[in-house]
Amino acid sequence: MRLMAKLAVLSLLGTLVPLTGQAASDEQKQFAWSVVERNATPMAKIGDSLYYFAELGMQEFESTKLMKEVLEAAGFSVELGAAGMPTNLWARWGNGRPAIAIVSEIDALPEGSQTPMELGRKPLVPGAPGHMEGHNTHGGVAAAAAFAVKETMARYNIPGSVILSLGPAEEQLISRPYIVRAGYFKNVDAIIYLHISDQSATGFGLANYASISANFTFHGKTAHGAVNPWDAKDALDANQLMDVGVAYLRQQLRPTNRIHRVVTNGGIQPNVIPDLAQTWWWVRDANMPDAGETFEKLINIGKGAALMTGTTVDYQIVAAGWPQLGMKAIAETIQGNIDKVGMPRWGEDEQRFARDFQKSAGRPENGLRTAVTPLGGRPQAYSSNDNGDVSWTVPAGLFAFPAIVPGIAVHEWHAAITPTSTIAHKGMAVGAKVLSASILDLLTRPDLLQRARAEFEQAVKAMPYFGVLPPDAKPPLDLNKAIMDRYRPEMRKFYLSERPRLN
């Protein structure tokens, strides 16, 4: 009887071991979430501070200064200036493996200045930049989640490292290929890419489009437009002929392709035939090989336009980003945490405001989402993000947190109305909880990292990664400087005085 009793006890203990392991995991996540909850106010203030800084790509000096202060005060080591970009931020806590990184950005958009919560167009500073995509919220979510993970790792003796990478100039798709090229992700085991959305969602496979952007510059010979135009070689004519050539090319392109451009230099005045003209071209496609093929056609069209006009042409790649590649193993883990955390508990006043906002913007009056998005409910998007290059270097998870009113399109002024609202703040808290829990899973489950790595190696074998940036390419550090120099003095009047701290 005693033997049978011992066997029964051993059998019971055998069934309890995995449950105890799960309980420990749940306990760790609950602790991390308590850290997020007690830091809800400073997290919101970080995001609000970044909103009023409203700095364009490569000029995020105030934003990264604040993020450095916050993260160093929270115990992280912080490096600014990685890969030759002064506003590139790389923060780390811990030295061991596994090393899990949060990847995001904090830049604003031109002419997006708007008074928060005003449904009519009312810029804080007319003509100034503003956060009309909500990137300001990323800094708060990423910092709070990284801090919650750090506190949990310290409390439960979890080995490894948590990293936060904030790359500049995401809106111009510039920085991450340089960071990858500099080797910053060589010893990272997995990343989670973070972005604001109107839903709580993840996905896997190709999440968005590859892109290549470049300035095509034509050089000619100037002359008086009335006195001796025959002596000129018109660079603007060449520029326009390239535009016509690309227009005819569109018929021969795949349905997935996108081409757009803006003329950045079209001459000085009509009676001076331009000896210099330039267009910034942008090519996108569902994958990088196809985008690269179309870009080669653009090069040939430019050469043909130069030949027709007796001018010369050169081009300089400004940016090139692969599509984001998400791992199913990591997406399933993130989805599990999305389901556990759920959506924010919206108040009726928030729902009413959302419907009023949607009505004013001419959108369906559906209010805020109340249910999480199931896995697989997020198709490949036509937009691009330079983080894609990171996801072809290390296994990646993709996470979107719910802090935008549904139906409100980004990259236009309406989207600058709510990034400091309680809607954004509640969505940020949900985002930080899901993000911290998912990082803890990656830190504590070797099987998850192994599955993600195996999946990643299969994907890059099928489509090997190659860098598109020329070897001598350097980041355009003066990008947007003139705009920020012009508007920053007036924008400073709206900066928040408090310097938030996590605790």
Side-chain angles (χ1 to χ4, degrees), residues 1-9:
M1 290 295 293
R2 288 180 181 176
L3 179 60
M4 290 176 65
K6 287 180 180 179
L7 289 173
V9 170

Side-chain angles (χ1 to χ4, degrees), residues 171-252:
E171 296 293 3
Q172 291 80 30
L173 309 184
I174 288 176
S175 67
R176 258 65 78 108
Y178 290 100
I179 302 170
V180 168
R181 190 174 73 179
Y184 273 80
F185 288 95
K186 281 184 178 178
N187 295 316
V188 174
D189 294 285
I191 71 156
I192 296 180
Y193 175 67
L194 176 74
H195 202 282
I196 192 171
S197 177
D198 63 0
Q199 57 188 310
S200 189
T202 185
F204 57 91
L206 296 180
N208 57 8
Y209 265 34
S211 67
I212 304 173
S213 79
N215 286 319
F216 280 78
T217 306
F218 291 91
H219 305 272
K221 181 175 180 290
T222 192
H224 194 291
V227 176
N228 61 331
W230 50 84
D231 286 334
K233 294 179 180 178
D234 196 326
L236 181 58
D237 280 354
N239 206 46
Q240 291 181 297
L241 284 168
M242 181 176 179
D243 196 272
V244 172
V246 174
Y248 278 98
L249 172 67
R250 293 178 192 274
Q251 180 179 268
Q252 278 73 49

Side-chain angles (χ1 to χ4, degrees), residues 25 38 50 95 158 161 226 372 377 393:
S25 174
R38 77 170 184 248
L50 298 178
N95 297 307
I158 299 172
S161 303
V372 303
T393 307

Side-chain angles (χ1 to χ4, degrees), residues 421-467:
S421 66
T422 59
I423 293 170
H425 296 161
K426 287 183 178 181
M428 291 167 69
V430 163
K433 286 184 176 181
V434 173
L435 184 56
S436 60
S438 301
I439 294 171
L440 288 170
D441 282 328
L442 289 164
L443 286 167
T444 58
R445 292 175 50 194
D447 63 306
L448 172 59
L449 284 178
Q450 288 168 6
R451 285 189 290 118
R453 171 56 65 175
E455 187 184 344
F456 171 78
E457 289 176 354
Q458 235 180 355
V460 296
K461 184 178 180 181
M463 186 179 291
Y465 172 77
F466 56 89

Side-chain angles (χ1 to χ4, degrees), residues 32 35-36 39 43 46 71 139-149 164 432 436 502:
V35 176
V36 171
N39 281 283
M43 174 174 57
I46 293 168
L71 291 164
V141 175
F147 181 68
V149 171
L164 200 168
S436 60
L502 301 170

